[in-house]
Amino acid sequence: MESILPAYLKSYQSKDLFKKSESLFGMLKSCCICPRKCGVNRLEGKSGFCKTGLKAKVYSYMAHHGEEPPISGEKGSGTIFFANCNMSCVYCQNYEFSQLGQGKDTDSEELSRFMLELQGMGSHNINLVTPTHVLPQILKALEIAISKGLNIPLVYNTGGYELPEIIRLLDGIVDIYLPDMRYGDEESAIKYSCAPDYPKYNQESVKEMYRQVGVALIDKQGLIERGVLIRHLVLPNNISGTEKIMKFIASELSPETYISLMSQYLPYHKASEFKDISRRLIEKEYEQAKELMKKYGLSNGWIQESYGLERFAGVNIKPALRKDL
């Protein structure tokens, strides 16, 4: 079977990518590209909740070997870590750049060069980590990179606090969606991530992602070419609402949906200030989450033990090298 060409190539040729990029940039005048709808004029360098003005800020980029097996493959995922975020998770392991803003202001030309450099390193895809708040800048960089030969798939790697109407604009551009489904209950989302209405926005957006690209399509080399792969971080004391999320996936998407069930939670950043999440996950809690996957007939995906990520058949993961900016 021949490899599927990235969807954005057709959108670029039809000028649809340009139109969507311009539309999104226009939204920055009174920013409304995420559920917060801060309304600040980012075109003038002002910033709202995400602390980001006109330019995207990049913390690092790398050929990353620590993602799920069909994302990383043998040569790595071309990962770009954007600074700042439209959430504020009290337990974020990347808080130095997601909340404290470490990184380098980067214009679209430079961002396009990162994409092309990652492709030149042999990366299987361009993996955009926390892209929501800088989506207009990403699409502008994508246009430039395509004109210079970019031709590997895009991975939209998001915390899941999205507007479905913005995700709808990515139809025909993004090949692979890698969203978190972090919370089943709004109360927890507000308390631990300052994300009102997270379940509503998250579920509606994930449904739109699934409408666009469907169940993950894995090629003969074990690489994902297109589709949705959902991450669920299991939190202590069932803060994540795992059963509600598994039930949603099985009933509203498909029992064939690929899920990465993560056990890696550690009480980073401010987590020690919150009793219910001030400790590591215990084995019993993760086993209960695995049982919930089985209960709802969800058998595609990966489980994560203390020694790393593995598919149910078992896959070894290599350490990553990165370029900090």
Side-chain angles (χ1 to χ4, degrees), residues 68-76 123-125 176 216-226 311:
E68 287 77 2
I71 302 289
S72 290
E74 289 294 320
K75 299 179 181 179
S123 300
H124 299 294
N125 45 61
I176 301 158
L217 178 62
I218 312 293
D219 69 13
K220 291 181 179 178
Q221 286 72 47
L223 295 171
I224 184 171
E225 292 188 317
R226 181 177 172 85
R311 194 171 184 174

Side-chain angles (χ1 to χ4, degrees), residues 293-313:
M293 281 186 66
K294 293 179 182 178
K295 175 180 177 179
Y296 290 100
L298 299 163
S299 59
N300 283 336
W302 298 264
I303 55 174
Q304 190 174 36
E305 308 292 3
S306 59
Y307 48 81
L309 191 69
E310 64 171 10
R311 194 171 184 174
F312 294 128

Side-chain angles (χ1 to χ4, degrees), residues 69-302:
I71 302 289
S72 290
E74 289 294 320
K75 299 179 181 179
S77 176
T79 305
I80 302 173
F81 288 93
F82 293 97
N84 300 319
C85 184
N86 73 334
M87 296 173 68
S88 185
C89 301
V90 298
Y91 51 84
C92 183
Q93 65 179 353
N94 297 324
Y95 68 91
E96 293 96 340
F97 60 91
S98 70
Q99 295 181 36
L100 302 184
Q102 292 182 15
K104 177 187 174 185
D105 285 338
T106 306
D107 63 24
S108 296
E109 283 281 354
E110 188 171 16
L111 183 53
S112 74
R113 289 199 296 272
F114 296 163
M115 295 178 181
L116 291 166
E117 184 177 340
L118 290 165
Q119 177 173 273
M121 293 165 64
S123 300
H124 299 294
N125 45 61
I126 300 298
N127 186 347
L128 306 165
V129 180
T130 320
T132 311
H133 60 298
V134 288
L135 184 55
Q137 294 88 336
I138 289 170
L139 294 194
K140 186 63 67 176
L142 181 63
E143 288 184 73
I144 298 168
I146 295 169
S147 73
K148 297 180 180 180
L150 187 73
N151 61 6
I152 55 178
L154 282 188
V155 179
Y156 194 83
N157 185 342
T158 170
Y161 195 38
E162 302 278 356
L163 286 174
E165 57 265 36
I166 298 298
I167 296 300
R168 201 167 296 122
L169 289 174
L170 297 178
D171 193 3
I173 297 173
V174 170
D175 303 280
I176 301 158
Y177 285 104
L178 186 58
D180 286 336
M181 294 198 75
R182 192 74 60 85
Y183 302 105
D185 298 294
E186 183 184 17
E187 182 180 352
S188 294
I190 292 173
K191 183 174 182 178
Y192 300 110
S193 294
C194 194
D197 290 319
Y198 179 94
K200 180 185 78 170
Y201 288 120
N202 179 245
Q203 291 177 15
E204 290 178 1
S205 294
V206 170
K207 285 174 71 172
E208 172 59 21
M209 296 173 189
Y210 183 80
R211 183 195 68 81
Q212 291 177 24
V213 297
V215 172
L217 178 62
I218 312 293
D219 69 13
K220 291 181 179 178
Q221 286 72 47
L223 295 171
I224 184 171
E225 292 188 317
R226 181 177 172 85
V228 176
L229 195 166
I230 294 171
R231 284 175 168 169
H232 180 63
L233 177 65
V234 184
L235 296 172
N237 292 300
N238 194 33
I239 297 299
S240 44
T242 300
E243 180 156 18
K244 289 183 179 180
I245 290 171
M246 296 304 154
K247 182 178 181 180
F248 167 83
I249 293 170
S251 62
E252 299 293 329
L253 304 182
S254 166
E256 300 300 314
T257 303
Y258 281 77
I259 299 168
S260 179
L261 190 70
M262 300 187 294
S263 65
Q264 68 194 49
Y265 176 77
L266 289 171
Y268 287 104
H269 195 29
K270 300 177 181 178
S272 61
E273 301 172 16
F274 297 82
K275 182 180 178 181
D276 284 345
I277 59 167
S278 62
R279 62 166 173 80
R280 299 183 61 157
L281 199 67
I282 59 176
E283 184 177 356
K284 180 180 179 181
E285 290 170 322
Y286 191 62
E287 290 300 318
Q288 288 172 343
K290 290 196 289 186
E291 287 302 314
L292 287 170
M293 281 186 66
K294 293 179 182 178
K295 175 180 177 179
Y296 290 100
L298 299 163
S299 59
N300 283 336
W302 298 264

